[in-house]
Amino acid sequence: MNFKDFNFNSELVKGIESIGFEKPTPIQEKAIPIIMQGEDIIASAQTGTGKTAAFLLPVIHKIISSKKDDHIKALIIVPTRELAMQIDQQLEGFSYFTSISSIAVYGGGDGTSFSMEKKALTEGADIIIGTPGRMIAHLNMGYVKVKELEFLILDEADRMLDMGFHEDIMKIIGYLPKVRQNLLFAATMPYKIKDLARKVLNNPKEINIALSKPVEKVLQVAYVLYEQQKTPLVNHLLSSKHLRSVIIFCSTKSSTKQLAKELKKLRLSVDEIHSDLDQKSREKVLLDFRNRKTNILVATDILSRGIDIEDIDLIINFDVPHDGEDYIHRIGRTARAEAEGIAITLINEKEQGKFGSIERLLGKTVTKAMLPKQLGSTPVYNPQKSSYRSNKRNNFRRYKNRK
Ligand code: ADP
Ligand code: MG
């Protein structure tokens, strides 16, 4: 299949060509025809499979052919500022040869950005990409021209629910016209998404692209070790070979800061990103990393979903992520689109049970590598034993809470 088969407007085709996309990805092949027909969809496909273009292209095509006025035609709601900016950039690329206007609307900027957003919302940009809180702030003021809105897109809907945006999303929808086309995209389909879908979507077509496919391109390796061996191992991994782009994920802000500090002491080119940084600093850190001014980024899961950074050589999970979905999101940072990548997970004794359940979700065991001899001896991998223990502990906690 080819992008020509969708019969897109010729200005849009030029945009796609100039970006260099040649063939649609599987999610694009399936979703685009349905969206072109005007149907609602609920689509899940793993991170890195091209979901952004799957909704942007048909929506741009339809807006080009709809009448020109000063009303907003499409609203894309996303969980984070970074994602809003990234989608806006892709949109600018695709719509370069069209007269479509767009703006990303997100919190955290200064007063001028709010008034710029207000201006765009008042004059009616065609497509708005916004975070929930900021959208509500503008909608409450009454000047946002949504009366003729035709498309509502919820991107990373699973992530938005995880972040507690359910009510905000419903509040935003309360402002929108009842008749509209709704598109919901997510990397995973937990049950609570179906609940949201029932409320928001109208007779949607469902598309699921199997979870495990792109992950197969990622070479997954794990080290079983003691907690205090983690930093020495990271140091060993990072200095044994020149790597241009490495992301190290930690589960908490404090461990992120701590590890970044220790790696800086080792004179590595390191930066950190987590929600304690303000908007400007986060943008700067991302830009430096994209431009390879810094080679190593220590990050919380703020970075694990949605954000597209190309050519990551290596992902290190310094901590085992809390669940399988986070694991898949994290390792999805590497091996985007056509590339291949490596993901290494460090498992201490307490994390063995958690990693065992991730392996069950993946439907396979991840290769365990030998720790370099000079770093000392290691624990035995026995995830059943450790998950048995943690289950017992949880039951005990539940029992106590009941009392
Ligand atoms: P997702 O939203 O599913 O996580 P993205 O939409 O961010 O994925 O796309 C991941 C990467 O793949 C981006 O760099 C994007 O430019 C690229 N990409 C998407 N579709 C295509 C395509 N048809 N051909 C080539 N590259 C693509
Ligand atoms: Mg996406």
Side-chain angles (χ1 to χ4, degrees), residues 5 21 27 52 101 126 141 152 161 177 189 205 221 280 293 297 328 348 374 394:
D5 301 330
F21 285 11
I27 183 76
T52 316
S101 57
D126 295 306
M141 314 272 262
L152 170 69
L161 293 182
M189 254 329 131
K205 289 269 181 318
V221 178
K280 279 230 167 65
K293 257 168 84 180
L297 197 52
I328 287 167
N348 72 20
Q374 69 270 26
N394 285 339

Short mmCIF file of all heavy atoms in Angstrom, two decimals, residues 5 21 27 52 101 126 141 152 161 177 189 205 221 280 293 297 328 348 374 394:
data_model
loop_
_atom_site.label_atom_id
_atom_site.label_comp_id
_atom_site.label_asym_id
_atom_site.label_seq_id
_atom_site.Cartn_x
_atom_site.Cartn_y
_atom_site.Cartn_z
N ASP A 5 -2.82 5.78 -2.35
CA ASP A 5 -4.08 5.03 -2.33
C ASP A 5 -5.18 5.67 -1.49
O ASP A 5 -6.34 5.29 -1.56
CB ASP A 5 -3.83 3.60 -1.81
CG ASP A 5 -2.83 2.87 -2.68
OD1 ASP A 5 -2.77 3.17 -3.88
OD2 ASP A 5 -2.09 2.01 -2.15
N PHE A 21 7.95 10.31 4.13
CA PHE A 21 7.23 9.06 4.37
C PHE A 21 6.94 8.42 3.03
O PHE A 21 6.43 9.07 2.13
CB PHE A 21 5.89 9.32 5.08
CG PHE A 21 6.01 9.67 6.53
CD1 PHE A 21 7.22 9.96 7.12
CD2 PHE A 21 4.87 9.70 7.32
CE1 PHE A 21 7.31 10.29 8.47
CE2 PHE A 21 4.93 10.02 8.67
CZ PHE A 21 6.15 10.32 9.25
N ILE A 27 -0.81 0.68 11.35
CA ILE A 27 -1.91 1.40 12.00
C ILE A 27 -2.45 2.47 11.05
O ILE A 27 -3.66 2.72 11.00
CB ILE A 27 -1.48 2.00 13.37
CG1 ILE A 27 -2.65 2.70 14.09
CG2 ILE A 27 -0.36 3.00 13.26
CD1 ILE A 27 -3.63 1.78 14.72
N THR A 52 0.48 9.18 15.23
CA THR A 52 0.25 10.61 14.99
C THR A 52 -0.23 10.86 13.56
O THR A 52 -1.26 11.50 13.34
CB THR A 52 1.56 11.41 15.21
OG1 THR A 52 2.18 10.92 16.39
CG2 THR A 52 1.28 12.88 15.35
N SER A 101 -4.03 26.27 9.63
CA SER A 101 -3.31 26.87 10.76
C SER A 101 -3.52 26.02 12.01
O SER A 101 -4.54 25.35 12.15
CB SER A 101 -3.84 28.28 11.00
OG SER A 101 -5.23 28.25 11.23
N ASP A 126 -7.29 26.40 12.76
CA ASP A 126 -8.05 25.23 12.32
C ASP A 126 -7.91 24.06 13.28
O ASP A 126 -8.86 23.35 13.57
CB ASP A 126 -7.55 24.77 10.94
CG ASP A 126 -7.83 25.81 9.87
OD1 ASP A 126 -9.00 26.21 9.75
OD2 ASP A 126 -6.87 26.23 9.19
N MET A 141 -13.11 30.72 29.77
CA MET A 141 -13.19 32.17 29.50
C MET A 141 -14.21 32.50 28.41
O MET A 141 -14.54 33.65 28.21
CB MET A 141 -11.82 32.71 29.08
CG MET A 141 -10.68 32.24 29.95
SD MET A 141 -10.40 33.28 31.36
CE MET A 141 -9.06 34.28 30.73
N LEU A 152 -12.73 15.55 17.31
CA LEU A 152 -12.09 15.50 18.62
C LEU A 152 -11.14 14.31 18.60
O LEU A 152 -11.55 13.18 18.30
CB LEU A 152 -13.13 15.31 19.72
CG LEU A 152 -12.52 15.02 21.10
CD1 LEU A 152 -11.78 16.24 21.65
CD2 LEU A 152 -13.58 14.56 22.09
N LEU A 161 -5.58 8.93 31.19
CA LEU A 161 -6.35 8.36 32.30
C LEU A 161 -5.42 8.05 33.48
O LEU A 161 -5.76 8.32 34.62
CB LEU A 161 -7.09 7.10 31.86
CG LEU A 161 -8.20 7.34 30.83
CD1 LEU A 161 -8.90 6.04 30.48
CD2 LEU A 161 -9.21 8.36 31.33
N PRO A 177 -19.64 20.65 20.34
CA PRO A 177 -20.90 20.26 19.71
C PRO A 177 -21.12 18.75 19.85
O PRO A 177 -20.16 17.99 19.85
CB PRO A 177 -20.70 20.61 18.23
CG PRO A 177 -19.41 21.30 18.12
CD PRO A 177 -18.67 21.22 19.39
N MET A 189 -4.73 -0.82 25.92
CA MET A 189 -6.18 -0.74 26.07
C MET A 189 -6.63 -1.26 27.44
O MET A 189 -7.32 -2.27 27.52
CB MET A 189 -6.85 -1.60 25.00
CG MET A 189 -7.51 -0.92 23.82
SD MET A 189 -8.23 0.66 24.04
CE MET A 189 -7.50 1.47 22.62
N LYS A 205 -15.36 2.12 15.36
CA LYS A 205 -14.67 0.96 14.82
C LYS A 205 -13.42 0.75 15.67
O LYS A 205 -12.74 1.71 16.03
CB LYS A 205 -14.24 1.23 13.38
CG LYS A 205 -15.42 1.28 12.42
CD LYS A 205 -15.67 -0.10 11.85
CE LYS A 205 -16.81 -0.19 10.86
NZ LYS A 205 -18.03 0.52 11.17
N VAL A 221 17.83 -7.15 27.09
CA VAL A 221 18.78 -7.84 27.96
C VAL A 221 18.53 -7.38 29.39
O VAL A 221 18.10 -6.26 29.61
CB VAL A 221 20.23 -7.48 27.56
CG1 VAL A 221 21.23 -8.15 28.49
CG2 VAL A 221 20.51 -7.86 26.12
N LYS A 280 10.69 25.63 30.51
CA LYS A 280 11.84 26.09 29.71
C LYS A 280 13.01 25.12 29.85
O LYS A 280 13.64 24.76 28.86
CB LYS A 280 12.28 27.49 30.17
CG LYS A 280 11.44 28.60 29.59
CD LYS A 280 12.33 29.69 28.95
CE LYS A 280 11.50 30.62 28.09
NZ LYS A 280 10.52 31.39 28.91
N LYS A 293 24.07 17.34 22.06
CA LYS A 293 24.98 18.11 22.91
C LYS A 293 25.19 17.37 24.22
O LYS A 293 26.26 17.38 24.79
CB LYS A 293 24.42 19.51 23.19
CG LYS A 293 25.09 20.58 22.36
CD LYS A 293 24.35 21.89 22.40
CE LYS A 293 24.70 22.76 23.60
NZ LYS A 293 23.92 24.03 23.54
N LEU A 297 20.65 10.90 28.96
CA LEU A 297 19.54 11.56 29.63
C LEU A 297 19.00 10.62 30.70
O LEU A 297 18.64 9.49 30.40
CB LEU A 297 18.46 11.87 28.59
CG LEU A 297 17.41 12.89 28.96
CD1 LEU A 297 18.04 14.18 29.45
CD2 LEU A 297 16.52 13.17 27.75
N ILE A 328 7.05 -1.55 28.25
CA ILE A 328 6.92 -1.51 26.80
C ILE A 328 7.07 -0.07 26.28
O ILE A 328 7.72 0.17 25.27
CB ILE A 328 5.58 -2.14 26.37
CG1 ILE A 328 5.68 -3.66 26.56
CG2 ILE A 328 5.26 -1.81 24.92
CD1 ILE A 328 4.36 -4.38 26.48
N ASN A 348 17.21 -5.64 40.78
CA ASN A 348 17.77 -6.00 42.09
C ASN A 348 16.92 -7.12 42.71
O ASN A 348 15.93 -7.57 42.12
CB ASN A 348 17.92 -4.78 43.00
CG ASN A 348 16.58 -4.24 43.49
OD1 ASN A 348 15.57 -4.96 43.49
ND2 ASN A 348 16.55 -3.00 43.91
N GLN A 374 34.67 -8.01 37.70
CA GLN A 374 35.20 -7.08 38.70
C GLN A 374 34.09 -6.42 39.54
O GLN A 374 34.36 -5.79 40.55
CB GLN A 374 36.10 -6.02 38.03
CG GLN A 374 35.37 -5.02 37.14
CD GLN A 374 35.26 -5.48 35.69
OE1 GLN A 374 35.27 -6.67 35.39
NE2 GLN A 374 35.12 -4.53 34.77
N ASN A 394 1.56 -7.93 50.25
CA ASN A 394 0.41 -7.12 49.84
C ASN A 394 -0.87 -7.60 50.51
O ASN A 394 -1.71 -6.80 50.91
CB ASN A 394 0.23 -7.18 48.33
CG ASN A 394 1.28 -6.32 47.66
OD1 ASN A 394 1.84 -5.44 48.30
ND2 ASN A 394 1.53 -6.60 46.39
#
